[in-house]
Amino acid sequence: MNAPLRRVAISVLVLFTLLILNVNYIQVVRSDELREDPGNTRVLTEEYDRERGSIVVDGTEIALSVPTQDQLTYLRQYPQGPLYAAVTGYYSLIYSNTQMERAANDVLAGSDARLFARRLADLFTGRDPAGGDVVLTLDPAVQQAAMAGLEGVTGAVVALDPSSGAVLGMASTPTYDPGQLSSHDPAAIRAYADELGAMDADPRLNRAISDNYPPGSVFKVIVSAAALSSGDYTPDTVIPAPDLLTLPGTSTTLENFGGSSCSSSQEQSLIDALTISCNTAFAQLGIDLGEDRVREMAEAFGMTGDGLEIPMEVAGSSVGDIESEAALGQSSIGQRDVRMTPLQAAMVAAAVANDGTLMTPYLIDQVRAPDLTVIDQADPEEFSEPVTPEVAGQLTEMMESVVANGSGRAARIPGVSVAGKTGTAQVAEGVPDHNWFVGFAPADDPQIAVAVFVANGGGTGGDVSAPIAGDVMQAYLEGQGG
C-alpha cells in the first residue's frame, strides 16, 4: 500500500514542479515577449482604460484619444488619417498597432521608464494615469505636397533635413484611413481590413521604409562617388561610353535607355555621363573600379543589408551578391540584386548635400509628459562619412548638371538651384519600369533632400518622379521663406 501511495505522491510532486517551472518561465522569461506580442489583445484592452498620448505634427494632433460612452473608455482618432497613415499606423482592438503607434507605444501608453515619476505621482494622488506625447519632425507642407504628387500612383516620398537627419516628410500610396481600423466595432474593423487586403497594392504597407526596390540609375551617384573618391577621376575625366557594351565573359550586351547613343565618339566626361544617365559608361566604370570599391562606397552610404530604427523599423538596403564582372556591370547601373528603400535613397542625397556627412534619420523630435513637460529632445547623430567635402562638392556639381541640362529637368524650381539624379529601373519582362528621383535644394545651401519612388510608373524617372520631387522641395522652401 505504501508503494502505490509513494508513486502517486511522487507523480503529484513532479506535476507541481513542472507547473511551477512553467509559470515562472511564462512570467519571467517570456513576459516581455508575450506583452509585446501584436496578437495579445488583453494588454491592448487594458490600455484603453487610460488616455493614450497624442502624436503631434507642428502643434497639431494627428493621432489622439477621446473619451467614449461605451465599454472601452477611450477611442483612438486620426483627424487627417490618410495624409499621415504611413507614419502613424493604427491602434486597433483587433490588429494591435503598427508604425509609430507601435514604435512609440511605451510612451503613448504611459509605460515608458521616462514617465516613471508621473506614474508614481498618479499612484499617490489618485490622478487618472495617462500616456505621453510624441512630437514628430514632419513638415505639414512637405507631407501635403508629397501625397498630392503621389495621388493615383503606387509609391513613396521621403524628405530629410540633410544637416540633422530629421524626417521632413514620409508618404506612401495608396493610403487608407487608420481610424476605420481603430474603431470599437470588431465587425467593421475586419470588413475594412478585408477591403484593404483585396486591393492590388495593400495600403497598410509603408513603401517608404518597409520594402526595397531596384534603384536603377539612382545608384550611379554611388558609383560616381566611388570613382571620385579613388583619386583617379574628376567630373571632367573622359570615360568609355559605347552604344553597346558586351559584358565580360558573356555574349550579353547592355545598351542605353531606348537604345540611344550617349556620344558619337563613344566616350564622354564623367559629368556628361551622369547628366544623361549613360548606362554603358557606368557599367564599364563599375567594372573598372572593381567590386570592392563599389560595395564599400554603397555600404558607407548605409547599404549594408541591415535595417534601421527611426524608431519605426526600416528594411535593409544592399548591393546584393556580385559573382562576376558581368554582374558588377549590371549592378553598377542599379539593376540585378541592388535594392534600396526610398529612405535609403534620400539618405544618399542627404549625405552629398551635407558635405559628405550622413546624419542618422529620425522621426521623433520630442517626447512630452502628460503635462506637456519635455522629457526627451532629439539629439542628431552622425551615421557615417561616405565621402569628403571635396568629393561631395564634385557630386553636387554633377547632380546640378542632371537637373539643369539632363534627365532631371522636370525637378527645376524657379530661382533655385537643384541637384538631383533620375532613375528608371527594369522590373521584369512585360512589367512597367519603376521610376525614381533623388535630389536636394538649394544646391548651394541645401535645406531639404528628397527621394521619390513610383512603382511601375511606366515612364522615366525624369518625367514621372522628378516633377513630384520639385513640388515637394519647393513647398518646403516656400514654407521656410526661401
Side-chain angles (χ1 to χ4, degrees):
M1 186 68 178
N2 288 338
L5 286 175
R6 210 165 26 245
R7 285 195 293 269
V8 170
I10 292 172
S11 299
V12 170
L13 180 62
V14 169
L15 290 173
F16 269 106
T17 301
L18 292 174
L19 179 61
I20 291 170
L21 289 173
N22 185 58
V23 168
N24 278 273
Y25 174 71
I26 291 174
Q27 292 185 344
V28 178
V29 178
R30 296 192 61 203
S31 58
D32 290 340
E33 175 191 345
L34 293 171
R35 183 171 55 252
E36 296 171 4
D37 185 347
N40 187 352
T41 57
R42 177 181 175 184
V43 172
L44 200 63
T45 303
E46 290 176 354
E47 289 179 358
Y48 276 87
D49 288 336
R50 69 175 61 182
E51 183 177 3
R52 188 171 175 84
S54 298
I55 301 175
V56 181
V57 170
D58 194 32
T60 299
E61 295 172 306
I62 63 170
L64 70 158
S65 293
V66 297
T68 72
Q69 300 299 318
D70 57 36
Q71 186 176 1
L72 299 175
T73 309
Y74 289 98
L75 172 68
R76 199 64 167 166
Q77 293 187 343
Y78 304 86
Q80 303 177 71
L83 178 63
Y84 291 103
V87 177
T88 62
Y90 51 81
Y91 178 75
S92 176
L93 182 65
I94 303 300
Y95 299 109
S96 187
N97 47 28
T98 61
Q99 305 305 342
M100 190 58 70
E101 290 278 25
R102 180 172 179 80
N105 183 66
D106 286 352
V107 171
L108 298 170
S111 58
D112 189 277
R114 290 167 291 185
L115 295 171
F116 175 76
R118 166 76 186 203
R119 293 197 301 273
L120 192 61
D122 291 344
L123 183 64
F124 284 103
T125 63
R127 180 174 52 196
D128 290 336
D133 298 341
V134 291
V135 180
L136 305 186
T137 57
L138 298 178
D139 182 282
V142 171
Q143 192 73 12
Q144 290 164 6
M147 288 298 291
L150 291 172
E151 185 176 1
V153 302
T154 297
V157 172
V158 176
L160 301 174
D161 179 340
S163 65
S164 67
V167 179
L168 301 174
M170 179 175 290
S172 177
T173 55
T175 189
Y176 66 101
D177 180 8
Q180 293 195 51
L181 293 173
S182 304
S183 75
H184 291 175
D185 184 344
I189 293 172
R190 291 189 175 94
Y192 187 56
D194 290 343
E195 178 185 331
L196 297 179
M199 296 176 65
D200 292 337
D202 193 330
R204 291 166 293 186
L205 176 66
N206 184 346
R207 289 168 176 80
I209 61 174
S210 299
D211 203 356
N212 51 39
Y213 313 89
S217 295
V218 164
F219 192 73
K220 292 172 184 174
V221 175
I222 291 177
V223 177
S224 296
L228 296 170
S229 297
S230 72
D232 298 328
Y233 297 83
T234 71
D236 296 321
T237 299
V238 175
I239 60 176
D243 292 344
L244 286 175
L245 175 66
T246 301
L247 296 173
T250 75
S251 58
T252 302
T253 57
L254 186 149
E255 65 178 15
N256 297 303
F257 184 78
S260 62
S261 175
C262 295
S263 169
S264 58
S265 66
Q266 307 292 287
E267 60 182 18
Q268 62 186 162
S269 65
L270 180 57
I271 187 172
D272 288 344
L274 190 73
T275 299
I276 65 170
S277 201
C278 184
N279 285 341
T280 58
F282 274 92
Q284 184 61 60
L285 178 60
I287 293 169
D288 292 342
L289 289 169
E291 178 186 347
D292 288 348
R293 279 181 174 169
V294 173
R295 185 180 293 279
E296 286 169 7
M297 184 57 68
E299 291 179 350
F301 275 101
M303 297 182 64
T304 63
D306 298 327
L308 297 172
E309 291 186 358
I310 61 172
M312 292 141 62
E313 293 184 0
V314 181
S317 299
S318 72
V319 175
D321 293 332
I322 300 177
E323 67 276 8
S324 65
E325 286 192 333
L328 177 58
Q330 293 172 316
S331 299
S332 296
I333 60 170
Q335 294 286 175
R336 205 170 178 89
D337 295 328
V338 182
R339 292 291 185 275
M340 275 190 194
T341 61
L343 174 64
Q344 173 62 67
M347 290 167 63
V348 172
V352 177
N354 195 38
D355 292 329
T357 298
L358 174 59
M359 303 300 289
T360 302
Y362 65 95
L363 252 170
I364 297 179
D365 181 48
Q366 291 181 346
V367 174
R368 301 190 310 209
D371 62 1
L372 303 185
T373 302
V374 176
I375 58 174
D376 199 359
Q377 176 73 49
D379 184 14
E381 296 180 357
E382 182 179 311
F383 183 88
S384 64
E385 294 183 34
V387 296
T388 65
E390 179 184 4
V391 169
Q394 293 173 323
L395 288 169
T396 297
E397 176 191 357
M398 292 167 62
M399 292 171 70
E400 280 188 272
S401 180
V402 171
V403 176
N405 310 306
S407 59
R409 289 184 178 91
R412 291 172 177 172
I413 301 173
V416 177
S417 58
V418 178
K421 181 68 191 82
T422 57
T424 303
Q426 295 178 342
V427 182
E429 189 70 31
V431 178
D433 296 340
H434 292 328
N435 305 128
W436 290 84
F437 183 88
V438 301
F440 54 90
D444 54 354
D445 181 24
Q447 298 176 40
I448 180 173
V450 66
V452 177
F453 166 72
V454 176
N456 310 121
T460 67
D463 57 39
V464 176
S465 294
I468 301 173
D471 289 345
V472 169
M473 291 186 285
Q474 184 171 7
Y476 181 71
L477 295 176
E478 289 177 350
Q480 301 301 304

